[in-house]
Amino acid sequence: MSDFDNGDSDNAGLGAILANAQAAVAELADQYIGWVKEDMVRLEAAIAPITDSAGSADAVRLRAVYDVAHDIKGQGSTFGYPLVTEIANLLCRYTEAATKQAKTDRSVIDAHVTALHTVINNRVQGDAGELGREILEALRAAAAKSLA
């Protein structure tokens, strides 16, 4: 007997609602890959004009990257791709810090985008274990080095 099904009709109703919600999310998860690939096209367009820079001219461009990465971050975990969420979150944090420091390293942005493409194209669900941790740590290290 589950926590939702102890014989009480209210709890049984909650169990049915939860089951329906889980089924709806599962159906949307199949569509998620298409949506996130569209977001990746938007991300590629946002990063295209960015070059390594020590000037504040890139603030608007970095904000565009942040906005798309934020959208990607918001959906990944919901649909079973927490590594996508984590990588997009790191990209958001990097663009924020790069904007504040008026210092951009395009190769760091590209590394995040490559990691996102790899996870998405290979449909890597979950956190990918040790490999996922290594990817995240490498991205953190690259960002920290470029902003030091």
Side-chain angles (χ1 to χ4, degrees):
M1 195 174 287
S2 75
D3 291 340
F4 288 105
D5 186 12
N6 63 7
D8 183 81
S9 63
D10 287 341
N11 286 341
L14 288 174
I17 290 169
L18 180 60
N20 288 338
Q22 288 172 331
V25 169
E27 282 183 40
L28 291 175
D30 291 338
Q31 296 176 16
Y32 170 71
I33 291 296
W35 296 334
V36 75
K37 284 184 176 185
E38 290 172 9
D39 285 339
M40 291 302 295
V41 169
R42 290 178 38 228
L43 184 59
E44 294 281 357
I47 67 169
I50 295 176
T51 59
D52 289 345
S53 165
S56 61
D58 278 343
V60 170
R61 293 178 181 138
L62 286 172
R63 181 59 197 209
V65 172
Y66 173 92
D67 288 344
V68 179
H70 191 269
D71 290 347
I72 293 169
K73 176 183 83 155
Q75 296 177 353
S77 291
T78 300
F79 296 110
Y81 291 85
L83 191 54
V84 168
T85 293
E86 290 296 322
I87 295 167
N89 180 55
L90 291 176
L91 182 54
C92 286
R93 301 296 73 83
Y94 176 73
T95 57
E96 286 176 325
T99 300
K100 288 177 184 169
Q101 291 190 16
K103 182 177 177 183
T104 306
D105 183 343
R106 171 67 189 262
S107 68
V108 173
I109 294 171
D110 290 341
H112 286 79
V113 172
T114 297
L116 284 167
H117 276 299
T118 300
V119 171
I120 293 162
N121 291 339
N122 290 295
R123 297 181 182 221
V124 178
Q125 292 187 288
D127 64 9
E130 183 62 29
L131 180 59
R133 286 186 290 280
E134 288 175 12
I135 290 168
L136 295 173
E137 186 52 40
L139 293 172
R140 283 185 195 101
K145 182 179 178 183
S146 81
L147 296 169

